[in-house]
């Protein structure tokens, strides 16, 4: 349980206990408001927080993308592939098709590691290279690829892998 105190006119008005599920629901609501269509994806930390909340409790691997316009504003967040507990088949053709359908100028790739270990695998690096090269052919830039494992996140951009 978490305890939150509310203020009215500068004074504490009430204290209420919230369950962990209620706290997560509140956080998800706040994050959803921040990441509505048209929100600018200029903060790597905010993107990490958003993805950690979205993916933290998934028990299967998923692969998705944040599709962005030319000003790096969010067009949509979409899960593109779902897999097993430790792998997901990713097809560059599908990612390219979806980027074209949405008229995206850039995107942030993401996937989770339900194992709890955020370190990207050789396969993760390989598919990122394939996707980057495929999307480059249609003038869509891959800004980052984030691997999320619980609250830990690894950024390909920060490691200069993009």
């Amino acid at each position: 349980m978490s305890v939150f105190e509310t203020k009215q006119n500068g004074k504490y008005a009430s204290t209420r206990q919230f369950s962990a599920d209620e706290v997560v629901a509140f956080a998800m609501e706040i994050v959803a408001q921040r990441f509505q269509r048209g929100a600018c994806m200029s903060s790597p930390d905010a993107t990490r927080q958003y993805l950690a909340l979205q993916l933290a409790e998934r028990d299967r691997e998923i692969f998705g993308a944040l599709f962005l316009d030319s000003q790096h504003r969010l067009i949509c967040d979409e899960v593109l592939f779902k897999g097993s507990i430790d792998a997901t088949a990713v097809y560059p053709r599908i990612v390219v098709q979806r980027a074209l359908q949405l008229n995206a100028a850039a995107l942030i790739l993401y996937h989770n590691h339900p194992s709890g270990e955020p370190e990207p695998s050789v396969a993760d690096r390989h598919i990122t290279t394939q996707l980057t090269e495929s999307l480059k052919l249609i003038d869509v830039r891959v800004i980052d690829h984030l691997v999320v494992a619980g609250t830990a996140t690894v950024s390909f951009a920060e490691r200069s892998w993009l």
Side-chain angles (χ1 to χ4, degrees):
M1 291 277 189
S2 296
V3 177
F4 290 91
E5 296 181 24
T6 58
K7 283 187 175 182
Q8 287 181 341
N9 299 326
K11 296 181 180 182
Y12 289 107
S14 65
T15 300
R16 178 174 173 232
Q17 290 191 341
F18 293 90
S19 70
D21 288 340
E22 287 176 308
V23 173
V24 169
F26 291 143
M28 292 290 285
E29 192 173 313
I30 291 167
V31 170
Q33 289 172 3
R34 284 187 185 173
F35 286 87
Q36 291 178 10
R37 182 182 175 96
C40 187
M41 305 301 289
S42 60
S43 167
D45 287 336
T47 304
R48 275 190 166 97
Q49 291 171 0
Y50 170 74
L51 291 174
L53 279 170
Q54 296 295 323
L55 304 174
E57 295 187 6
R58 301 265 186 150
D59 61 353
R60 303 272 182 223
E61 195 166 301
I62 60 132
F63 187 97
L66 301 172
F67 292 92
L68 310 173
D69 67 13
S70 60
Q71 302 299 310
H72 294 177
R73 293 177 302 218
L74 184 65
I75 296 170
C76 79
D77 170 7
E78 195 166 305
V79 173
L80 299 166
F81 307 100
K82 295 179 181 179
S84 65
I85 60 170
D86 62 356
T88 301
V90 176
Y91 302 97
R93 174 187 175 100
I94 302 298
V95 179
V96 169
Q97 285 176 332
R98 195 63 183 133
L100 287 169
Q101 288 170 344
L102 293 168
N103 200 29
L107 51 85
I108 297 171
L109 302 169
Y110 64 83
H111 77 280
N112 67 321
H113 282 177
S115 67
E117 175 54 51
E119 193 59 36
S121 67
V122 172
D124 293 340
R125 292 185 68 182
H126 179 71
I127 194 62
T128 303
T129 300
Q130 282 186 314
L131 287 166
T132 302
E133 293 302 315
S134 298
L135 289 159
K136 193 181 294 182
L137 294 172
I138 60 165
D139 293 323
V140 174
R141 184 172 168 242
V142 176
I143 295 173
D144 204 350
H145 182 167
L146 296 168
V147 180
V148 179
T151 57
T153 308
V154 171
S155 163
F156 280 51
E158 287 177 355
R159 292 194 175 179
S160 301
W161 290 349
L162 290 175

